Amino acid sequence: MEQKKDTDFIFNLMMEFLDEVSANTKEFFIVFKEESSHLYEKDLLQKLPSEEIPNLIKAFTLYHLLLNIIDEKNHLKKNPKVNLQKTMQELKVEGYDEEDIKAVLKRMKFYPVFTAHPTESLRRTFLESYHQMCDDLHLWIDCGKQEAKEHLKYRLSCLWYSHIVRREKIEVLFELDNLLYFMESSILQSGTEVLEEVQEVLGEDLKKSPIRLGSWIGGDRDGNPYVNNSVMLAVMKQQHKTIIEHYLKIIDKLSRELSHAREYICPTEELLESLEEEKECLDDMARKLFLQEPIRAKLTCMRVKLQNRIIALNLPQIALEESEIYKYQTPKEFIKDIEMLIESLDNRSRKYLKRLKNLVLLAGFHLMQLDFREHRDVFWRALAEIFSILGYTQEDLLLLPPNKQREVLDFALNQPSPDLNKFYDKLSVQTQEILLVFWNFQWAKTRISDNIINSCIISMCKSANDFLCVFWYAKQSGLWREGKKTRISISPLFETILDLENAPKILRELCRNTQYLQYLQSRKNYQEIMIGYSDSSKDGGIFASNYSLYKAISNLIALGEELNIKFRLFHGRGGSVSRGGGALSDALMASPNNSVAGFLKTTEQGEVISVKYLNPKKAAFNFSSILAALLKKSVYDKFGGVHLAPKKDYDSLMRKVSEESFKAYRVLVYQTEGFMEYFKSATPIEFIQQLNIGSRPSKRKDTQRVEDLRAIPWVFAWTQNRAIIPAWYGLGSGLQKANETYDKEIFRQCYQEDLFFKTTIDNISQAFLKVDLEIAKFYNEFVEEQEIRDRIWQMIKREYTLSLEWLLFIRQEECLLASEKMIQESILLRKPFLTSLSFLQLYLIKQYKNAHYPQQKERIVEQIVTTIVGIAQGIRNTG
């Protein structure tokens, strides 16, 4: 009820605003809302003046933006932040000892890795407005402040006269700029707040942060020609500069506030000795003013040491060694100085210094730990060229059978490291670029921070040889040396269903290699493995993907126990259900036993970043909720959580559903003649590829195969035409075929007792309610071949009906999500506006196809891409 009331508030606000900027648009807005499902049959689109189309698209998009803020507001109100203290009490009630719970909490690590995948369709201009609009809506709706309502209209007016979509192609450094905005405006603040909460629960100061921030921007090279060594270095330097400047602002503020005179406090001997040693860095005026104010004096010294880090970063190594520049070498030195000040102050005065200390634990001197990702083929092509020059093989390494490749790799790994500089200029540009990657790792880890980069991810890893191939580069660059701590994590990425099944076999093979075992030992037997949700879903459908991932994780955990390897799993999840989306805390609790053990690393992609982290309150809610779920799951993993186990084994049932849903999905996507033609015509993929919302191309290769299309535009396109088949197709057939073997009632029992099955079904149900086949059938008209169009459409309709029947049966509902009224209401309230935008998109695509000359087509494309953004805002988890 409250949600409906808030929605009425913003609808009336939108009416008032449109009255001011365009009365005509207001009239059409009302008509389109009320007649949304009849726009075609009543011929309303034909009557719409062409100049009103962009206005109407923008009006619906802004309205969706306001709806998203309202949803967020109500979510935070109805779901207060999960309290870690409360989670600890719940665990104690369940029989776990407090000291054991705290021991788990101390070792916990949540590692969100922010990526720039192109599903955040809003420009930074709109994202920045979001903050103020959140505050204004709260002050207006909850507090009745009329000036807040006027300021809302001001923000809407600014956005009304701005482009929704970027005109220019976004570059990698623009993506970084967007992410840094999230960092400075929300994530650092909320992350630090949650660290204080952890500190209170533990009852002691933190020695390390349970949250580690990561990024792929500038490091994810797989299929992105715009990410190179120059860009990667620029990103790392900018991250360093951003966090140091952030510290400098805090130091400056504290310097103005902490004017404590020496005679009124008790500075420690350590602080006084430190000032005596460092007074040379103070100028004469500062000495006179600050020596009687030791806190200010020390903060001034700290400021100089921070500032000099930025200066020193660009100095040549020889100049750096000769100058012995006065700067912090590591964050530990900075923290030591902060602690020195804390010890000299009373409890009240030290409050913000303690917060600064926690911030340094969170962000260090690197801000976000960069991951490097590249396709296996790129590593191999470079290695083949280098080995040929070194004379390690006279044949083409790429054409050798796997066993011969292994022999060459073993031989090369046992050779002394060659001086690659001697023949560097004889190598191709592509091979030079790969060698530079690892040399740049060394430079950045030495000059910026050892934490600036860690994982080197092998995309589409298919064999143990792929790992050893990358291992050779790590050895030559000195990132791995026998008997010393390894400075890099080599992480295979298993993406397709077949690769997930083969993962244990690959790792067994690796364990037969003595140098790999030495590498493993140098990492305390930890091996990071990335598992991909996107390609496995595109490969075999939603249920088969989820089940295959679940089994792969279970098998890896069992293998780890057998081989005494501690696998750290890196989950490559997206925003949509078909790419591993859904509530992360639910996914954690539904994951296999012993699969977490205090560590969670996962990607936060595209629009998910703004949904979770744009609002500082939502970001704090997200961090706290995940840490609470991670604590609970980790305690269960370490000490046992028998109450989580289902009463009976449902694995054979779920395996049958997975196998049959896989077959049904493969028949449609990979075995149906004309399917790619249907996909290209019945979805707006052509226009999605023209959106300036990401630096990365939409395809790995310029082919017409489903396999070479990236999972993100694949999902994005089906979401736009409202069929959303990656999120559900195959489920109905899988359940129906399994029902031939199993009694129907067992599916309900499985849903009630097995947390994995329940979470999977619930996630699919939420995505399913957003499907609108009444809209999708209009996109069919763009498929010219009638036989293909009718055949594929009938397959989609049949599977939709079957899936809906089964979802309603399993969840025991008469209408979908009836038991989750808030989510159901949120989705259904958007429907008339989404329908209107979809019909506008359809109308414009028709106009585009009938356009007579390029300039006309170009103008229409600009309008089509704005409808794509509007629909994305309405549906939210789109990619």
Side-chain angles (χ1 to χ4, degrees), residues 323-350:
S323 65
E324 295 183 356
I325 194 166
Y326 175 72
K327 67 182 180 70
Y328 287 117
Q329 298 297 326
T330 67
K332 284 183 180 178
E333 294 176 5
F334 185 29
I335 288 173
K336 185 181 178 183
D337 279 353
I338 296 170
E339 289 174 335
M340 205 182 294
L341 294 175
I342 289 170
E343 288 166 11
S344 297
L345 290 170
D346 62 283
N347 277 334
R348 181 73 65 188
S349 301
R350 64 177 57 156

Side-chain angles (χ1 to χ4, degrees), residues 147-190:
E147 59 268 32
K149 181 181 178 182
E150 290 305 310
H151 194 256
L152 258 173
K153 289 183 183 178
Y154 163 75
R155 296 305 312 183
L156 287 170
S157 182
C158 291
L159 297 177
W160 181 262
Y161 295 108
S162 303
H163 290 300
I164 293 177
V165 182
R166 300 174 185 89
R167 294 295 179 92
E168 71 284 354
K169 178 70 177 172
I170 192 167
E171 296 176 4
V172 178
L173 294 180
F174 291 169
E175 293 173 333
L176 177 67
D177 186 53
N178 273 1
L179 182 54
L180 292 179
Y181 173 73
F182 283 100
M183 287 290 153
E184 294 186 275
S185 64
S186 175
I187 293 173
L188 292 177
Q189 171 193 333
S190 54

